[in-house]
Amino acid sequence: EAQVTQNPRYLITVTGKKLTVTCSQNMNHEYMSWYRQDPGLGLRQIYYSMNVEVTDKGDVPEGYKVSRKEKRNFPLILESPSPNQTSLYFCASSWGTEAFFGQGTRLTVV
Amino acid sequence: ILNVEQSPQSLHVQEGDSTNFTCSFPSSNFYALHWYRWETAKSPEALFVMTLNGDEKKKGRISATLNTKEGYSYLYIKGSQPEDSATYLCAFRGAQKLVFGQGTRLTINP
């Protein structure tokens, strides 16, 4: 079954404590991306990756890092989370015209 | 930054009525236009992917049209039902990025 898996689904953390949200896809897609969703702002792209070792900034990259060491995984790293990074995060992977989303990660930074 | 605009931002429709809303996107470097249906706390669900000017797609009571030359797509819902209540997202796929609009939040009143 085609799948994009994010973990964790829910996370509450404290300001400054490094965290990683994992994203894994089983479709051998080259393109993967991260989005955050905030009320009234739709989905905004944080980072995207066209292939292994190729990553680029989206519209709101500040405070985030990513890595793409292998095709299936695209983790999102928050080195020093702050309360303004409280949001709902989605990972997506795509190839050609198909795009699939993970289940979402609701992150709260206190 | 690529601009993808959806209108209206929110819409209240009486059950049984038909409705439509708009997605505007850049007319250059077009690769595909996606429509998603998105319920709160769930992953966006793919409705349509359209790639050719003049494309029309249909899925049950929902249909979509595409005009790549002028940069717009319409989503139509015929005979709205309460289960159609959701946010409808469009996404423009250019050469490298998938850029989302802010969504149209549709509420069907019984």
Side-chain angles (χ1 to χ4, degrees):
Chain A
E1 181 191 350
Q3 216 165 311
V4 179
T5 304
Q6 286 179 235
N7 278 296
R9 295 288 309 279
Y10 302 92
L11 180 60
I12 301 174
T13 190
V14 296
T15 299
K17 186 176 180 183
K18 181 180 177 180
L19 66 92
T20 299
V21 184
T22 63
C23 175
S24 180
Q25 51 98 358
N26 62 0
M27 296 164 280
N28 204 36
H29 287 168
E30 292 182 347
Y31 185 98
M32 296 184 74
S33 55
W34 276 102
Y35 300 86
R36 61 177 288 175
Q37 193 272 324
D38 302 290
L41 295 175
L43 282 170
R44 294 182 294 168
Q45 192 175 54
I46 303 169
Y47 268 94
Y48 66 96
S49 169
M50 298 293 290
N51 211 329
V52 175
E53 302 293 0
V54 181
T55 64
D56 208 347
K57 295 177 181 178
D59 298 321
V60 288
E62 294 79 20
Y64 304 95
K65 285 174 58 177
V66 292
S67 72
R68 190 89 183 274
K69 294 188 171 64
E70 49 188 339
K71 192 179 272 192
R72 64 182 291 122
N73 294 324
F74 190 45
L76 180 70
I77 303 156
L78 285 72
E79 294 271 3
S80 183
S82 62
N84 66 9
Q85 292 178 298
T86 292
S87 188
L88 177 60
Y89 292 86
F90 285 101
C91 174
S93 77
S94 66
W95 178 82
T97 56
E98 296 293 329
F100 298 85
F101 284 86
Q103 315 95 306
T105 296
R106 184 166 291 282
L107 172 66
T108 303
V109 183
V110 298
Chain B
I1 294 179
L2 296 173
N3 211 26
V4 179
E5 300 279 345
Q6 288 187 248
S7 62
Q9 288 191 3
S10 66
L11 192 54
H12 291 254
V13 174
Q14 205 63 33
E15 182 178 353
D17 287 351
S18 297
T19 188
N20 65 84
F21 26 93
T22 308
C23 173
S24 302
F25 52 86
S27 54
S28 58
N29 296 317
F30 177 86
Y31 188 72
L33 192 284
H34 300 251
W35 280 102
Y36 290 89
R37 179 178 181 278
W38 186 24
E39 291 182 73
T40 304
K42 293 185 180 179
S43 304
E45 171 199 351
L47 289 174
F48 305 114
V49 179
M50 294 185 287
T51 56
L52 298 176
N53 185 44
D55 255 357
E56 291 188 26
K57 300 268 183 168
K58 189 173 180 184
K59 187 175 182 179
R61 295 180 290 100
I62 304 177
S63 60
T65 60
L66 178 68
N67 183 322
T68 59
K69 292 183 179 177
E70 294 181 41
Y72 65 84
S73 174
Y74 293 132
L75 189 80
Y76 300 91
I77 301 179
K78 186 177 177 182
S80 304
Q81 299 298 309
E83 60 264 28
D84 295 329
S85 294
T87 296
Y88 291 83
L89 293 168
C90 72
F92 167 82
R93 178 76 184 269
Q96 288 188 321
K97 297 171 68 170
L98 187 64
V99 180
F100 284 84
Q102 293 183 358
T104 293
R105 182 184 290 277
L106 176 66
T107 304
I108 307 301
N109 301 316

